[in-house]
Amino acid sequence: MARWRAYGLGQFIHWGLYSIPAGEWNGKIYNGAAEWIRTWKEVSPQAYDSLIYRFNPAKFNPDSWAAVAKQMGVKYVTITTKHHDGFCLWPSKFTDFTVANSPYKKDIIGPLVKAYDKQGIDVILYFSVMDWHNPDWQYDIKTRDDSIAFNRFKQFTRNQLLELLTRYPSAKGLWFDGTWDKSWVKQAAFADSLETEMRKLHPGLIIGSRFRADEYGKRHFDSNGNLMGDYEQGWERKIPEKITDVHGNDWDCVMTIPENQWGYAKTWQGHIKTADELLEMLAKCVSLDGNFVLNFGPKPDGTLRAEELSLAKAIGDWMAVNKEAIYSGEYAGFIKQDWGYFIKSTASNKIYMLVFNIPVSGLLRVVTPSHTVIRKAYGLDNAASNYTPEEIGASTYFIHLNQQTTPKKPFVIVLETGEAAKGQTGGYEKAKT
Ligand code: K80
């Protein structure tokens, strides 16, 4: 988990049969998320499942995806091995509904794991327990028949998970989805023993809080309020506001570029996030002890869409200068200020100020924890640059920006801090009220 905690920035990949219709069916545009199109009333499940015969990503090149991720500065990638539609991107022995029976024929996951491993990017396997294709999947268990079918489904799930961990031993963890239905929530004992089995097979395996419910049906946090799993998976398309929201737990935020599209959708509607917005989300997550994971939905031919490539490039260019503030960063314990986010280095006494909103006054307020003084302040992009913090009150400073030269893009100021000398009070007196 120490390694996971230091990631800061990750990439999510949603790829599967849904990339072929890409949010469009018989010329009509689906309003929901493209990867959910199989559930649309306009779509017959059989017609959707026949997309397997069209899955043939001729231009798929895992090394080029991994190179994009590397330039972007991500430290880990989460890849859909099987989404809710049940289509497996690896040749699973336990179903016919896999890449092996598509015209492409070949494993997708193995080459991806290899390509990302080669770039030094850790891999987490996304796995949906809910499986629309498998007739044994149930939303709830009400009858004896449901129970018999779901018992088969549990064995199928166990087989697939052990298969994935055996086939891809370098994967660092599992990211679960589709675990909220009553059928699965009732399987506390089964999920508990499967988790033990997976951890034994794969020492060090990282599992998020979506995997199992407790015996009272509580999810994420058990009936005693303790997190179940190694990190909290509750932050999907949302970010905590303050450090108390995360209860001292590890967590990651998974984020889409448009409002809510994970799989490839031909037309992106509504607001499309900009690189600066995404960088601000990244800074906010790291400042609150979380990782930020940006989603990509590759096209059916195996290439990445132009919008994603240009965002990855812009984020990577920023990371090239500022990554020191993101990797191994943690909550700084400084009072949040309106100009942006404080991140503390776990490796030194440095505090990073990630500036996103430049005040009209050009003055950045910093309130240090008591007995902490600022010894030095400089730009992360230029260690020779020097800001002279103006002490304006007890533990309170203004960093003066040069209004002429301050860039109109997010930037980072490094503060080197130290302990106030004994007896050094600054002489600031509190008002008597
Ligand atoms: C499933 C269910 C809802 C209500 C919202 C999103 C999801 C899935 N989780 C994301 C990580 C995507 O995989 C999305 O399809």
Side-chain angles (χ1 to χ4, degrees), residues 348-367:
S348 67
N349 67 343
K350 287 178 187 162
I351 301 283
Y352 303 98
M353 297 169 61
L354 289 84
V355 183
F356 289 86
N357 309 299
I358 300 165
V360 172
S361 66
L363 303 174
L364 304 182
R365 181 181 293 268
V366 177
V367 179

Side-chain angles (χ1 to χ4, degrees), residues 12 14 33 35-36 80 83-84 126 130 175 177-178 180 210 236-237 254 260 262-263:
F12 212 148
H14 273 75
E35 74 282 359
W36 274 70
T80 50
H83 201 259
H84 309 330
Y126 166 108
M130 176 169 74
W175 202 99
D177 208 1
W180 44 74
R210 286 189 190 187
E236 178 166 321
R237 294 193 295 116
V254 294
N260 184 24
W262 298 89

Side-chain angles (χ1 to χ4, degrees), residues 49-181:
D49 290 354
S50 297
L51 291 170
I52 186 175
Y53 304 114
R54 288 171 53 198
F55 187 80
N56 196 7
K59 295 186 191 158
F60 174 55
N61 177 352
D63 288 319
S64 82
W65 289 15
V68 168
K70 183 71 177 180
Q71 190 280 334
M72 178 177 161
V74 311
K75 290 283 195 185
Y76 73 128
V77 63
T78 305
I79 306 170
T80 50
T81 59
K82 177 180 90 163
H83 201 259
H84 309 330
D85 64 2
F87 178 67
C88 301
L89 294 186
W90 82 101
S92 176
K93 283 191 293 199
F94 304 100
T95 172
D96 291 336
F97 201 47
T98 81
V99 276
N101 294 311
S102 74
Y104 186 69
K105 290 198 177 74
K106 290 167 279 184
D107 183 16
I108 297 280
I109 300 301
L112 271 177
V113 171
K114 199 169 155 206
Y116 278 82
D117 278 354
K118 212 159 61 185
Q119 291 285 11
I121 299 170
D122 285 352
V123 177
I124 306 265
L125 305 174
Y126 166 108
F127 184 89
S128 170
V129 171
M130 176 169 74
D131 186 320
W132 298 326
H133 179 82
N134 189 323
D136 289 334
W137 164 259
Q138 313 289 322
Y139 289 91
D140 198 355
I141 301 164
K142 291 192 171 136
T143 65
R144 206 180 121 74
D145 283 352
D146 292 349
S147 170
I148 291 167
F150 206 70
N151 277 338
R152 282 194 301 265
F153 186 81
K154 279 151 62 180
Q155 288 316 316
F156 167 70
T157 300
R158 172 177 174 269
N159 286 337
Q160 287 207 318
L161 287 170
L162 298 180
E163 183 182 41
L164 281 170
L165 294 176
T166 306
R167 286 182 64 101
Y168 313 112
S170 66
K172 296 290 185 287
L174 295 167
W175 202 99
F176 284 100
D177 208 1
T179 53
W180 44 74
D181 287 302

Side-chain angles (χ1 to χ4, degrees), residues 396-417:
T396 308
Y397 302 81
F398 272 149
I399 303 280
H400 291 246
L401 298 178
N402 181 330
Q403 307 259 49
Q404 268 74 53
T405 58
T406 300
K408 286 246 175 325
K409 54 181 190 151
F411 63 97
V412 178
I413 295 173
V414 185
L415 301 180
E416 289 187 6
T417 60

Side-chain angles (χ1 to χ4, degrees), residues 279-288 326 341 343 354 356:
L279 288 170
E280 179 159 2
M281 291 177 171
L282 165 65
K284 188 171 181 180
C285 287
V286 175
S287 80
L288 297 174
I326 298 297
Y341 306 89
I343 292 174
L354 289 84
F356 289 86

